Amino acid sequence: MATPFIAGNWKMNTTLREAVALVREMRGELARLDGVERVLCPPFISLAAVSELVAGTPIKVGAQNLFHEQKGAYTGEVSPLMLRDLCEYVIVGHSERRACFHEDDAVVNRKLKAAVAAGLRPILCVGERLGERESGRAEEVVTAQLHRALEGYSDAASLVVAYEPVWAIGTGKAATPDMAGAMMALIRRRLSEAFGDNPANGIPLLYGGSVTSQNIRGFVEQPPVDGALVGGASLRAADFVEIVRTTAQVRARM
Ligand code: PGA
């Protein structure tokens, strides 16, 4: 079984001062929990401060994006080389990047490869839009996203995959645990085809989309779901700690 895994995606929220306050608020309790990989993904400008605040604890840090080149004349971009001194993980292909910044699967593929080349662990996001689910194409869409994102990618040991149906993100309308479990089982099969059973079984699979401290249990009780990528609720210290605690409790019994 893959390691239970909870990541908090703060998105474009928190000033530097707010990020520091949020980490200070949750750091103690979060560090004391056991058996779950827990990752905070603040905005770029807070990465250094957050990394320093969690140094020496089991809390890990991730970035929300990266550029696919390691250095050069790309004004305004942040490279994998810069990130690897500050964090271990990086979110790649979030649906907001796909929708607002026109990132397609080819871009996602380049970013994934650039991330692992620099020693970062990518959290690859996939997920269908509402119309795609309603027309019965969710599995086909997710399969195609995975296939294109992972073309020529071989580092299963570094990979984390998050299934985030676009219609569930920030809407308060989470997928049902059954729906998430079914899609995760499909994703696990596709990863087995790509990497073989053993490496694929070690890849943490996260559900994302309106996860809260109230609904996390239902998701992590589904065996194919190893954890969650949490947006809104990760900005509330008590909620995020509770999500990690519940995951630890449920997985310790499985
Ligand atoms: P949400 O966001 O938890 O606020 O729905 C999840 C995400 O976008 O990763």
Side-chain angles (χ1 to χ4, degrees):
M1 246 188 182
T3 319
F5 195 115
I6 300 290
N9 174 11
W10 296 2
K11 308 194 181 185
M12 199 178 70
N13 297 295
T14 67
T15 61
L16 175 58
R17 190 189 294 257
E18 288 164 347
V20 166
L22 185 54
V23 178
R24 288 213 169 108
E25 201 183 338
M26 63 170 89
R27 180 178 53 181
E29 275 189 272
L30 207 51
R32 274 192 292 279
L33 297 170
D34 250 348
V36 179
E37 181 82 330
R38 64 226 92 148
V39 184
L40 307 178
C41 304
F44 282 140
I45 60 141
S46 298
L47 277 174
V50 170
S51 296
E52 220 164 277
L53 284 167
V54 302
T57 77
I59 304 167
K60 305 279 177 60
V61 180
Q64 298 172 16
N65 183 31
L66 79 172
F67 191 61
H68 65 266
E69 295 290 348
Q70 305 293 351
K71 61 191 272 194
Y74 301 100
T75 302
E77 290 298 312
V78 174
S79 87
L81 278 184
M82 299 168 186
L83 291 176
R84 75 165 180 204
D85 293 335
L86 298 171
C87 59
E88 188 170 323
Y89 291 93
V90 59
I91 298 171
V92 178
H94 191 280
S95 66
E96 287 151 16
R97 299 235 35 107
R98 294 176 191 256
C100 308
F101 304 99
H102 314 295
E103 289 190 9
D104 59 15
D105 292 318
V107 170
V108 172
N109 176 262
R110 280 203 292 274
K111 290 188 172 191
L112 273 187
K113 290 176 180 162
V116 289
L120 292 161
R121 294 192 62 185
I123 302 173
L124 166 65
C125 300
V126 295
E128 81 285 358
R129 293 193 289 259
L130 184 59
E132 292 165 337
R133 173 153 291 267
E134 286 176 344
S135 59
R137 295 181 51 231
E139 297 201 341
E140 175 197 326
V141 167
V142 168
T143 297
Q145 286 174 339
L146 276 176
H147 185 74
R148 290 194 291 251
L150 295 174
E151 209 180 306
Y153 177 99
S154 55
D155 191 348
S158 294
L159 188 64
V160 179
V161 176
Y163 166 58
E164 300 205 306
V166 178
W167 45 270
I169 295 177
T171 57
K173 293 191 188 113
T176 64
D178 282 353
M179 226 182 241
M183 189 61 90
M184 298 302 192
L186 172 97
I187 292 173
R188 188 77 75 197
R189 285 199 301 279
R190 295 289 170 262
L191 293 172
S192 289
E193 287 159 15
F195 301 115
D197 287 347
N198 234 3
N201 288 339
I203 298 174
L205 299 190
L206 317 183
Y207 166 74
S210 298
V211 170
T212 64
S213 52
Q214 277 86 50
N215 66 16
I216 182 67
R217 179 175 297 276
F219 292 110
V220 290
E221 279 176 348
Q222 299 277 327
V225 183
D226 299 303
L229 179 54
V230 185
S234 72
L235 293 164
R236 299 185 295 271
D239 278 347
F240 191 67
V241 169
E242 199 49 42
I243 288 169
V244 175
R245 179 178 292 124
T246 304
T247 303
Q249 283 167 354
V250 169
R251 296 316 287 245
R253 287 201 306 268
M254 280 171 94

